[in-house]
Amino acid sequence: SYVLTQPPSVSVAPGKTARITCGGNNIGSKSVHWYQQKPGQAPVPVIHYDSDRPSGIPERFSGSNSGNTATLTISRVVAGDEADYSCQVWDSSGDHGVFGGGTKVTVL
Amino acid sequence: QVQLQESGPGLVKPSQTLSLTCTVSGASISSGSHYWNWIRQPAGKGLEWIGRFYSSGNTNYNPSLRSRVTISVDTSKNQFSLKLSSVTAADTAVYYCASQLRSKDNLAYWGQGSLVTVSS
């Protein structure tokens, strides 16, 4: 089965840039979706199809995907960005969803 | 705007069957325009995709859960359901329903989640 690997945690100072990686075998050939999840809340999509932002998501959120790594970048981080972020793909058959383990972003 | 709401027992005994329902508003299940998913998240852990229902009876299931999972719909109530059999403590989690428009789209709409505890 396909495996997505994320770092457990990332710390960033306010106003700086946070980069969250999602590793997978040839993940660049797949479309990656990213979700933000705050404590006690359901996940919220922040990036779909590698780099597209859903309506209402700030331009500070961006994504890229190449080779074996996809990256979610949060620029000019604010306290409200503190959350868990998870990547997600559909496997090669297109029939099964796969999530990364999630990365907790802490704003210092 | 699609809205989803999970409902069902919060406590299930080991070896029994977990049953949850997701009520949909803002979209018609019978239209075949969406894929209807279930996802779960044990406390302090990551999200796990369970499976989905789409287009007049088609289902996809997580291979690790396939032998125990059934996802079905009730078009008359605009609901879809999850049944997970032979549960153990490892199945304790927050269960979410979510929808997508196309097979490789993101999960655009989510319910608020329903905590199910497996305990005697």
Side-chain angles (χ1 to χ4, degrees):
Chain A
S1 60
Y2 195 74
V3 176
L4 295 175
T5 301
Q6 296 183 238
S9 62
V10 166
S11 297
V12 59
K16 300 299 185 184
T17 297
R19 293 181 179 85
I20 304 151
T21 58
C22 176
N25 184 34
N26 197 26
I27 194 174
S29 67
K30 302 180 186 304
S31 294
V32 180
H33 308 302
W34 290 93
Y35 303 87
Q36 176 194 70
Q37 187 178 23
K38 297 184 177 179
Q41 298 183 18
V44 173
V46 292
I47 290 289
H48 55 209
Y49 286 105
D50 297 340
S51 58
D52 292 338
R53 280 188 313 278
S55 174
I57 300 302
E59 291 183 7
R60 300 184 297 102
F61 288 81
S62 62
S64 63
N65 184 19
S66 178
N68 293 318
T69 304
T71 302
L72 172 69
T73 300
I74 311 172
S75 304
R76 303 181 299 282
V77 166
V78 301
D81 296 333
E82 190 163 281
D84 291 328
Y85 292 85
S86 297
C87 56
Q88 182 252 319
V89 301
W90 298 96
D91 71 0
S92 298
S93 71
D95 291 340
H96 306 112
V98 180
F99 284 95
T103 298
K104 180 174 179 58
V105 170
T106 300
V107 181
L108 300 171
Chain B
Q1 178 86 351
V2 179
Q3 293 184 315
L4 306 166
Q5 174 77 54
E6 303 90 350
S7 59
L11 181 64
V12 181
K13 289 182 167 47
S15 80
Q16 294 190 344
T17 296
L18 177 160
S19 296
L20 290 172
T21 296
C22 183
T23 300
V24 178
S25 57
S28 170
I29 288 182
S30 60
S31 71
S33 61
H34 284 71
Y35 290 66
W36 307 102
N37 293 256
W38 287 97
I39 301 97
R40 69 180 182 179
Q41 185 173 38
K45 296 188 178 181
L47 299 161
E48 180 181 31
W49 181 80
I50 298 171
R52 66 184 179 183
F53 181 101
Y54 63 101
S55 297
S56 303
N58 294 294
T59 52
N60 299 135
Y61 296 132
N62 186 321
S64 69
L65 298 170
R66 178 179 290 129
S67 64
R68 298 194 292 131
V69 174
T70 302
I71 297 175
S72 59
V73 301
D74 184 337
T75 55
S76 67
K77 295 181 180 179
N78 216 35
Q79 295 174 334
F80 64 106
S81 298
L82 168 70
K83 291 188 185 300
L84 181 65
S85 64
S86 305
V87 297
T88 69
D91 295 310
T92 294
V94 175
Y95 286 75
Y96 295 98
C97 56
S99 72
Q100 61 185 140
L101 276 175
R102 295 170 298 186
S103 64
K104 293 191 177 182
D105 278 358
N106 69 336
L107 299 167
Y109 302 103
W110 293 68
Q112 87 285 357
S114 179
L115 174 61
V116 179
T117 302
V118 178
S119 175
S120 54

